[in-house]
Amino acid sequence: MKDGTYDRASVDRLDQLRPHFARAGMVSARLGLERARATVSALETIGLPAAVMTASGRVLTANGLLEELTEMFLPTAYGGMAIANASANALFQQAILENRNDLAVRSIPVAANESRPALVIHLLPLRRAAHDIFTGADILVAATEVRASAVVPSPILLAGLFDLTPSEARLAAVLSQGRPLKDAASDLKITVKTGRTYLERIFAKTGTSQQSQLVALLKSTEPLNRR
């Protein structure tokens, strides 16, 4: 190179190396995809439907459990994925867009229907060392099943599942015992007005609109079991 320009001989030498660079890049991409497939397959062994996606929302690979949920996860154009429930899908697509900027974990509730219980879909941004495992991927998607039981969930669990703040999680845990809002606010030493504010936020984050729906949703959570 002389004065910022390349001579013909240098360009010819680089052209000879171009096919080798292309093959190396292709091999690297395939190895990265194989690692991603192995990881989502490992999640399948513990009963967790999972997939990895690019920042644009294109699915790179998904495990068998997620692929079996055909009534829940729908394929879209250009290799994308959508959720059949319209309100949950709006949150899902918004979370994919926002992931490009804030890299925040998102948890999206999906209401139960006649054939399956409620689900919570988690979007976890992949960064730093995670890219060594998920080459070319930016988001890990996983789903957990929510079943009603007599067990009272812990605030820590509720905060992790539904993106609740500590205060919201503590209120949700008390309400899951079937306590009226007034009594729950008294137990937590907050005003009823503050309790109502927290409850409205909890409704928005859990996709519920009534306290009875919320209690049924919060009773217990467990991983999806293979059938």
Side-chain angles (χ1 to χ4, degrees):
M1 185 175 75
K2 300 177 181 179
D3 301 325
T5 61
Y6 291 94
D7 57 71
R8 185 68 249 175
S10 297
V11 173
D12 290 341
R13 282 195 294 271
L14 289 173
D15 281 343
Q16 291 174 0
L17 294 174
R18 184 170 54 184
H20 302 294
F21 288 142
R23 282 192 292 272
M26 182 178 65
V27 170
S28 176
R30 287 181 176 175
L31 288 174
L33 182 57
E34 288 303 316
R35 285 197 296 268
R37 286 173 176 164
T39 303
V40 296
S41 294
L43 294 174
E44 181 175 356
T45 64
I46 62 173
L48 197 64
V52 288
M53 308 174 70
T54 64
S56 64
R58 183 169 62 90
V59 178
L60 293 179
T61 186
N63 65 22
L65 288 179
L66 189 136
E67 290 176 343
E68 289 173 2
L69 298 174
T70 53
E71 66 172 24
M72 169 61 62
F73 296 100
L74 308 176
T76 63
Y78 307 108
M81 181 168 65
I83 300 174
N85 180 286
S87 58
N89 186 55
L91 294 173
F92 183 70
Q93 301 303 331
Q94 180 183 357
I96 293 173
L97 290 174
E98 292 177 348
N99 180 76
R100 302 175 191 177
N101 299 319
D102 58 16
L103 298 178
V105 175
R106 294 286 187 271
S107 297
I108 299 169
V110 184
N113 61 24
E114 297 79 6
S115 60
R116 57 152 183 80
L119 295 175
V120 179
I121 299 171
H122 310 280
L123 287 85
L124 297 89
L126 300 171
R127 47 191 169 182
R128 299 188 182 95
H131 281 292
D132 294 337
I133 301 174
F134 300 99
T135 304
D138 299 287
I139 306 170
L140 172 64
V141 179
T144 53
E145 189 176 286
V146 180
R147 293 183 180 275
S149 76
V151 178
V152 176
S154 72
I156 294 175
L157 176 62
L158 296 179
L161 280 177
F162 300 105
D163 296 332
L164 303 182
T165 67
S167 297
E168 293 165 357
R170 286 192 291 269
L171 177 62
V174 175
L175 292 176
S176 69
Q177 303 173 36
R179 305 287 299 283
L181 178 60
K182 181 178 178 180
D183 293 349
S186 177
D187 290 350
L188 297 174
K189 296 180 171 53
I190 60 175
T191 66
V192 175
K193 181 179 180 181
T194 298
R196 288 199 186 98
T197 299
Y198 290 163
L199 184 57
E200 289 300 318
R201 295 174 185 168
I202 294 168
F203 283 157
K205 292 179 179 180
T206 58
T208 57
S209 57
Q210 298 177 3
Q211 194 168 327
S212 59
Q213 294 175 339
L214 178 67
V215 171
L217 177 66
L218 299 181
K219 276 296 186 180
S220 181
T221 60
E222 60 186 35
L224 278 171
N225 294 319
R226 296 191 71 170
R227 292 170 174 81

